[in-house]
PDB file of all heavy atoms in Angstrom:
ATOM      1  N   GLN A 193      24.335  44.923  -0.684  1.00  0.00           N
ATOM      2  CA  GLN A 193      24.942  43.596  -0.916  1.00  0.00           C
ATOM      3  C   GLN A 193      26.327  43.473  -0.193  1.00  0.00           C
ATOM      4  O   GLN A 193      26.669  42.403   0.203  1.00  0.00           O
ATOM      5  CB  GLN A 193      25.102  43.338  -2.382  1.00  0.00           C
ATOM      6  CG  GLN A 193      23.823  43.222  -3.125  1.00  0.00           C
ATOM      7  CD  GLN A 193      23.991  43.018  -4.619  1.00  0.00           C
ATOM      8  OE1 GLN A 193      25.092  43.163  -5.145  1.00  0.00           O
ATOM      9  NE2 GLN A 193      22.922  42.710  -5.319  1.00  0.00           N
ATOM     10  N   ALA A 194      27.019  44.592  -0.109  1.00  0.00           N
ATOM     11  CA  ALA A 194      28.374  44.481   0.487  1.00  0.00           C
ATOM     12  C   ALA A 194      28.600  45.300   1.728  1.00  0.00           C
ATOM     13  O   ALA A 194      29.593  45.094   2.382  1.00  0.00           O
ATOM     14  CB  ALA A 194      29.379  44.924  -0.612  1.00  0.00           C
ATOM     15  N   GLY A 195      27.664  46.198   2.066  1.00  0.00           N
ATOM     16  CA  GLY A 195      27.868  47.039   3.222  1.00  0.00           C
ATOM     17  C   GLY A 195      29.091  47.933   3.064  1.00  0.00           C
ATOM     18  O   GLY A 195      29.750  48.274   3.992  1.00  0.00           O
ATOM     19  N   ALA A 196      29.390  48.277   1.758  1.00  0.00           N
ATOM     20  CA  ALA A 196      30.589  49.042   1.516  1.00  0.00           C
ATOM     21  C   ALA A 196      30.543  50.408   2.118  1.00  0.00           C
ATOM     22  O   ALA A 196      29.528  51.056   2.174  1.00  0.00           O
ATOM     23  CB  ALA A 196      30.818  49.107   0.008  1.00  0.00           C
ATOM     24  N   LEU A 197      31.701  50.893   2.539  1.00  0.00           N
ATOM     25  CA  LEU A 197      31.804  52.277   3.003  1.00  0.00           C
ATOM     26  C   LEU A 197      32.089  53.154   1.832  1.00  0.00           C
ATOM     27  O   LEU A 197      33.061  52.944   1.088  1.00  0.00           O
ATOM     28  CB  LEU A 197      32.951  52.388   4.038  1.00  0.00           C
ATOM     29  CG  LEU A 197      33.196  53.795   4.628  1.00  0.00           C
ATOM     30  CD1 LEU A 197      31.942  54.264   5.384  1.00  0.00           C
ATOM     31  CD2 LEU A 197      34.383  53.788   5.542  1.00  0.00           C
ATOM     32  N   VAL A 198      31.251  54.173   1.614  1.00  0.00           N
ATOM     33  CA  VAL A 198      31.359  55.045   0.487  1.00  0.00           C
ATOM     34  C   VAL A 198      31.622  56.444   0.938  1.00  0.00           C
ATOM     35  O   VAL A 198      31.011  56.964   1.837  1.00  0.00           O
ATOM     36  CB  VAL A 198      30.056  55.038  -0.376  1.00  0.00           C
ATOM     37  CG1 VAL A 198      30.154  56.026  -1.496  1.00  0.00           C
ATOM     38  CG2 VAL A 198      29.799  53.643  -0.892  1.00  0.00           C
ATOM     39  N   SER A 199      32.615  57.083   0.254  1.00  0.00           N
ATOM     40  CA  SER A 199      32.950  58.439   0.574  1.00  0.00           C
ATOM     41  C   SER A 199      32.299  59.281  -0.533  1.00  0.00           C
ATOM     42  O   SER A 199      32.467  59.027  -1.709  1.00  0.00           O
ATOM     43  CB  SER A 199      34.461  58.657   0.546  1.00  0.00           C
ATOM     44  OG  SER A 199      34.748  60.004   0.608  1.00  0.00           O
ATOM     45  N   LEU A 200      31.558  60.310  -0.120  1.00  0.00           N
ATOM     46  CA  LEU A 200      30.905  61.191  -1.097  1.00  0.00           C
ATOM     47  C   LEU A 200      31.364  62.595  -0.787  1.00  0.00           C
ATOM     48  O   LEU A 200      30.927  63.310   0.112  1.00  0.00           O
ATOM     49  CB  LEU A 200      29.400  61.125  -0.922  1.00  0.00           C
ATOM     50  CG  LEU A 200      28.536  61.993  -1.895  1.00  0.00           C
ATOM     51  CD1 LEU A 200      28.817  61.642  -3.311  1.00  0.00           C
ATOM     52  CD2 LEU A 200      27.054  61.829  -1.576  1.00  0.00           C
ATOM     53  N   GLY A 201      32.335  63.028  -1.616  1.00  0.00           N
ATOM     54  CA  GLY A 201      32.773  64.421  -1.481  1.00  0.00           C
ATOM     55  C   GLY A 201      33.944  64.623  -0.530  1.00  0.00           C
ATOM     56  O   GLY A 201      34.150  65.667   0.015  1.00  0.00           O
ATOM     57  N   SER A 202      34.786  63.591  -0.327  1.00  0.00           N
ATOM     58  CA  SER A 202      35.935  63.734   0.509  1.00  0.00           C
ATOM     59  C   SER A 202      37.151  63.885  -0.329  1.00  0.00           C
ATOM     60  O   SER A 202      37.100  63.834  -1.549  1.00  0.00           O
ATOM     61  CB  SER A 202      36.073  62.526   1.451  1.00  0.00           C
ATOM     62  OG  SER A 202      36.454  61.377   0.667  1.00  0.00           O
ATOM     63  N   GLN A 203      38.300  64.007   0.354  1.00  0.00           N
ATOM     64  CA  GLN A 203      39.522  64.124  -0.387  1.00  0.00           C
ATOM     65  C   GLN A 203      39.901  62.722  -0.965  1.00  0.00           C
ATOM     66  O   GLN A 203      39.249  61.715  -0.732  1.00  0.00           O
ATOM     67  CB  GLN A 203      40.655  64.633   0.517  1.00  0.00           C
ATOM     68  CG  GLN A 203      40.422  66.041   0.995  1.00  0.00           C
ATOM     69  CD  GLN A 203      40.416  67.036  -0.136  1.00  0.00           C
ATOM     70  OE1 GLN A 203      41.135  66.859  -1.121  1.00  0.00           O
ATOM     71  NE2 GLN A 203      39.569  68.043  -0.025  1.00  0.00           N
ATOM     72  N   SER A 204      40.999  62.683  -1.695  1.00  0.00           N
ATOM     73  CA  SER A 204      41.357  61.526  -2.496  1.00  0.00           C
ATOM     74  C   SER A 204      41.613  60.303  -1.609  1.00  0.00           C
ATOM     75  O   SER A 204      42.076  60.410  -0.477  1.00  0.00           O
ATOM     76  CB  SER A 204      42.581  61.767  -3.337  1.00  0.00           C
ATOM     77  OG  SER A 204      43.667  62.085  -2.493  1.00  0.00           O
ATOM     78  N   SER A 205      41.281  59.128  -2.158  1.00  0.00           N
ATOM     79  CA  SER A 205      41.649  57.860  -1.505  1.00  0.00           C
ATOM     80  C   SER A 205      42.992  57.430  -2.027  1.00  0.00           C
ATOM     81  O   SER A 205      43.602  58.098  -2.856  1.00  0.00           O
ATOM     82  CB  SER A 205      40.550  56.842  -1.719  1.00  0.00           C
ATOM     83  OG  SER A 205      40.309  56.679  -3.088  1.00  0.00           O
ATOM     84  N   SER A 206      43.457  56.275  -1.604  1.00  0.00           N
ATOM     85  CA  SER A 206      44.858  55.926  -1.778  1.00  0.00           C
ATOM     86  C   SER A 206      45.248  55.760  -3.236  1.00  0.00           C
ATOM     87  O   SER A 206      46.411  55.878  -3.595  1.00  0.00           O
ATOM     88  CB  SER A 206      45.116  54.623  -1.033  1.00  0.00           C
ATOM     89  OG  SER A 206      44.265  53.562  -1.488  1.00  0.00           O
TER      90      SER A 206
END
Side-chain angles (χ1 to χ4, degrees):
Q193 293 178 351
L197 180 62
V198 175
S199 171
L200 181 59
S202 69
Q203 295 297 326
S204 61
S205 52
S206 58

